[in-house]
Amino acid sequence: MSVQSSLLDSVRIILVGTSHPGNIGGVARAMKNMGLKDLWLVAPRAQFPHPEAEFRSSGATDILENTQVVEQLEDALSGCTLVAGTSARSRHIPWPLLNPRELAGRLHEELEQPQHKVALVFGREDRGLSNEELHLCHLHVNIPTNPDFSSLNLAAAVQVLSYELRMSVLEHQGQTGQVADQPFGTQWDAPLADSQALQRFFEHLETTLIDIDFHDPDNPRQLMSRLRRLYLRARPDTTEINMLRGILTSTQKVAGTKK
Ligand code: SAH
């Protein structure tokens, strides 16, 4: 069945540190089955391109040919306004956590806004995503599995999320234009800050907090992680980020750490 492909075109699948070329092919196949196209690899440990990836893609070679390979997760997040990280297990600091169906409902609302780009980030086969990588994400997604056997194969996890996304798009077909209950209405006056603008803000925030002796990098006590979680929850737009950075610059001037 054909779907509003523009919504699915706005979703980027990012695989971090994948070890097995066959899994990359399996992910490409799962994506193409569900109508997704945009695949990025961050520092793959598998050789890529690789015949095993092509074999397992079962003909989704167009996705493999257009796959972008970068060294840092931050590079793969360029231009993304909403970042969701997947995890098979709960982590130390609780983060906004959704199941795939809740995520799909959320994404559908999100993607009706023209400038939105959503990244779904998947981790390494042996140890998932690091805490630092998960802290680059607005929200976390867990597929509710058997707690005694919780970890899915990477391509199977991509399949579950992209299936829910496709189902959500199918269910909403014909209902576009109903934006009343969206978190950001069409009248919103500034675009959401993208991932890079947010990272630059977090770096500026950390420097300033060190300048004013509020933050001791030798004894961080999760301060930056908790502040990240707070600001990411607020979904700041570009004007708000500029204001916050202006406040930081003024603070640095008063502290005498910036002229
Ligand atoms: N042993 C790893 C699991 C890695 S599985 C760990 O403990 O984190 C490889 C990737 O598949 C994960 O990083 C995640 O992106 C995805 N995945 C596997 N099972 C999942 C689940 N139950 N919920 C969400 N994502 C899952």
Side-chain angles (χ1 to χ4, degrees):
M1 186 172 182
S2 76
V3 299
Q4 294 159 303
S5 58
S6 59
L7 296 185
L8 296 174
D9 286 350
S10 305
V11 177
R12 175 174 299 172
I13 300 291
I14 302 174
L15 309 182
V16 179
T18 309
S19 300
H20 300 294
N23 278 338
I24 299 174
V27 166
R29 178 182 187 174
M31 287 173 63
K32 189 160 181 176
N33 285 146
M34 296 300 121
L36 302 181
K37 296 185 183 137
D38 189 14
L39 176 61
W40 289 58
L41 306 180
V42 176
R45 289 178 288 167
Q47 199 189 328
F48 184 80
H50 192 284
E52 180 69 11
E54 202 172 314
F55 176 70
R56 282 280 306 280
S57 78
S58 293
T61 42
D62 49 337
I63 293 196
L64 295 177
E65 278 157 17
N66 290 313
T67 296
Q68 311 273 339
V69 182
V70 292
E71 276 310 304
Q72 300 287 336
L73 177 55
E74 287 88 337
D75 297 333
L77 296 177
S78 82
C80 295
T81 48
L82 183 74
V83 182
T86 54
S87 182
R89 58 201 158 96
S90 63
R91 305 297 177 121
H92 195 51
I93 303 182
W95 216 257
L97 181 67
L98 303 180
N99 68 37
R101 195 157 299 170
E102 291 164 340
L103 174 79
R106 178 75 191 275
L107 291 198
H108 196 276
E109 290 172 355
E110 194 86 17
L111 293 173
E112 286 189 347
Q113 303 300 321
Q115 68 273 64
H116 284 222
K117 182 97 189 165
V118 171
L120 307 183
V121 188
F122 295 83
R124 299 159 189 82
E125 291 94 331
D126 51 352
R127 56 197 154 89
L129 294 167
S130 69
N131 284 335
E132 291 70 33
E133 289 159 348
L134 283 166
H135 292 172
L136 293 172
C137 304
H138 291 91
L139 44 92
H140 295 168
V141 183
N142 177 254
I143 301 166
T145 45
N146 173 358
D148 300 328
F149 197 66
S150 64
S151 170
L152 277 78
N153 165 265
L154 176 60
V158 172
Q159 183 77 77
V160 170
L161 263 69
S162 37
Y163 168 73
E164 288 293 347
L165 196 49
R166 186 174 182 83
M167 285 302 289
S168 170
V169 170
L170 286 171
E171 278 165 15
H172 284 78
Q173 246 177 10
Q175 296 177 27
T176 51
Q178 297 181 355
V179 295
D181 59 353
Q182 289 185 357
F184 295 96
T186 47
Q187 303 305 312
W188 201 258
D189 55 353
L192 289 179
D194 71 9
S195 186
Q196 280 163 327
L198 289 167
Q199 297 325 317
R200 284 194 297 269
F201 164 67
F202 288 130
E203 282 161 23
H204 194 173
L205 178 63
E206 181 162 21
T207 312
T208 309
L209 295 180
I210 293 169
D211 287 349
I212 62 172
D213 288 334
F214 186 78
H215 173 41
D216 177 1
D218 295 327
N219 184 19
R221 289 184 306 184
Q222 301 177 332
L223 176 74
M224 291 313 300
S225 295
R226 290 183 183 279
L227 286 172
R228 271 177 180 274
R229 185 176 65 170
L230 169 67
Y231 283 107
L232 289 172
R233 235 170 42 232
R235 307 294 314 279
D237 66 33
T238 49
T239 309
E240 291 161 343
I241 283 290
N242 286 340
M243 284 184 330
L244 289 168
R245 293 204 52 179
I247 293 169
L248 294 176
T249 302
S250 295
T251 307
Q252 289 177 305
K253 281 185 187 150
V254 172
T257 54
K258 188 176 178 94
K259 294 280 167 290

